[in-house]
Amino acid sequence: MTEMRPVTQAAAKKVPTLPDAQTVTRVEHWTDRLFSFRVTRPASLRFRSGEFVMIGLLGDNGKPLLRAYSIASPAWDDELEFYSIKVQDGPLTSKLQHIQPGDQIILRPKPVGTLVHDALLPGKRLWFFATGTGFAPFASLLREPETYENYDEVVITHTCRDVAELEYGRRLIEDIRQDELLAELIGEGFADKIRYYPITTREESPKMGRITTLLKDGTVFADLGIDGISPDTDRAMVCGSLGFNVDMKEAMEGFGLREGANSDPAEYVVEKAFVG
Ligand code: A2P
């Protein structure tokens, strides 16, 4: 049993012991609303790239305060990575944003989720549609060899309010393209399959507008030189806010794609990004 090192003053009053504590190894702040961090991985934890787990901290009442977080690192990584919003009055993230290397968080080692390869039928082109921290499961899947074994092309669209909010994803994709370990794991040239399509809605950038609109008016297809989305060739994973997911489901169904699940794979899958 590991001793939990509390992050808050209030929790410091009594030092609790918890069986599911993991140690923070790295924290990166991207904007005043976004940060990512890495923690140790329980030796027994097995998961599929794209799944989520419950993580959190001890609340002031001494009880665990847990939320669902997509694991942003791939299944083969020694550590676990998470990408989080900071909500100043959010019960969890108001505290979680202050974690430092050496602190401990709670991690329940029961991974689940539908943004997994198992929930999709075979296809030729895979689309990842993310808004905000909905990029997290794709940060995992973009480093997963199966993604490139299964598909000829991987299109990642990430919609954020401003340019700074795209940075975690932009940097990650840049790093992936140069990663020698990944090239060894996946095969030389795998990165040529990645088509990155970053979009902002509230700040000037090379591509502006909501992805839903850009799909509807065909801008995305014209920009990428793709004929369109078809159930014969295209598969999609969607992760963002509730409203985004609802609109994207309608868009996907409009292209003739059906929603899949672990028990019933089909052409697209959706999951809500954690926003609190
Ligand atoms: P917008 O600026 O037009 O609201 P948030 O930071 O609120 O989670 O939003 C992340 C990004 O997702 C923003 O760029 C936002 O655009 C966009 N977004 C939110 N809802 C939708 C939706 N229903 N369809 C498409 N994009 C959306």
Side-chain angles (χ1 to χ4, degrees):
M1 195 175 277
T2 329
E3 198 172 81
M4 180 91 182
R5 207 163 99 191
V7 171
T8 64
Q9 281 297 320
K13 284 179 198 148
K14 64 176 183 189
V15 179
T17 52
L18 287 168
D20 290 336
Q22 296 300 321
T23 306
V24 176
T25 58
R26 186 175 172 170
V27 183
E28 279 180 278
H29 292 272
W30 298 93
T31 69
D32 58 358
R33 292 208 317 146
L34 296 165
F35 73 116
S36 62
F37 56 97
R38 292 175 73 86
V39 304
T40 51
R41 176 175 177 171
S44 60
L45 177 66
R46 296 277 170 274
F47 69 96
R48 295 174 297 172
S49 293
E51 286 188 314
F52 65 85
V53 284
M54 303 298 290
I55 64 168
L57 296 169
L58 278 189
D60 289 343
N61 61 3
K63 293 203 177 117
L65 183 59
L66 303 174
R67 294 287 184 272
Y69 269 84
S70 287
I71 302 171
S73 47
W76 53 263
D77 202 327
D78 290 342
E79 292 183 338
L80 299 173
E81 184 174 318
F82 298 97
Y83 182 47
S84 178
I85 191 114
K86 304 178 204 175
V87 180
Q88 296 318 325
D89 57 357
L92 178 61
T93 60
S94 59
K95 294 192 179 105
L96 193 65
Q97 64 182 284
H98 299 299
I99 54 168
Q100 307 270 356
D103 286 339
Q104 294 191 317
I105 65 153
I106 305 165
L107 186 147
R108 297 269 189 260
K110 292 193 182 65
V112 284
T114 52
L115 301 182
V116 290
H117 285 301
D118 292 342
L120 292 177
L121 293 170
K124 292 206 176 313
R125 185 188 299 123
L126 178 60
W127 294 80
F128 294 142
F129 293 107
T131 59
T133 56
F135 189 87
F138 307 136
S140 174
L141 285 156
L142 280 164
R143 291 179 275 187
E144 166 59 54
E146 203 181 340
T147 300
Y148 306 94
E149 285 157 18
N150 290 2
Y151 296 93
D152 298 336
E153 203 176 1
V154 180
V155 185
I156 164 89
T157 85
H158 191 195
T159 313
C160 290
R161 295 181 187 186
D162 53 47
V163 173
E165 293 185 342
L166 290 167
E167 186 60 12
Y168 170 80
R170 192 195 64 74
R171 183 90 64 84
L172 187 118
I173 289 169
E174 195 179 286
D175 289 349
I176 288 174
R177 290 190 196 281
Q178 290 161 15
D179 195 308
E180 285 171 14
L181 173 67
L182 273 177
E184 214 172 282
L185 268 172
I186 303 171
E188 287 298 332
F190 80 92
D192 298 341
K193 293 186 174 182
I194 303 174
R195 316 281 309 271
Y196 176 46
Y197 197 80
I199 313 161
T200 58
T201 50
R202 303 191 192 184
E203 187 189 2
E204 199 73 37
S205 79
K207 189 51 64 180
M208 293 195 66
R210 285 184 159 196
I211 183 68
T212 39
T213 311
L214 302 176
L215 281 170
K216 215 173 272 173
D217 67 14
T219 304
V220 181
F221 306 126
D223 286 344
L224 295 172
I226 289 172
D227 283 345
I229 292 181
S230 150
D232 296 337
T233 47
D234 294 76
R235 303 292 172 259
M237 295 191 183
V238 177
C239 189
S241 61
L242 206 54
F244 173 71
N245 288 359
V246 168
D247 291 349
M248 284 302 296
K249 277 172 86 138
E250 195 186 314
M252 294 300 105
E253 304 273 343
F255 289 123
L257 274 57
R258 296 163 306 140
E259 185 170 0
N262 275 284
S263 56
D264 185 17
E267 290 94 23
Y268 80 94
V269 280
V270 184
E271 208 157 75
K272 193 170 158 290
F274 172 57
V275 287

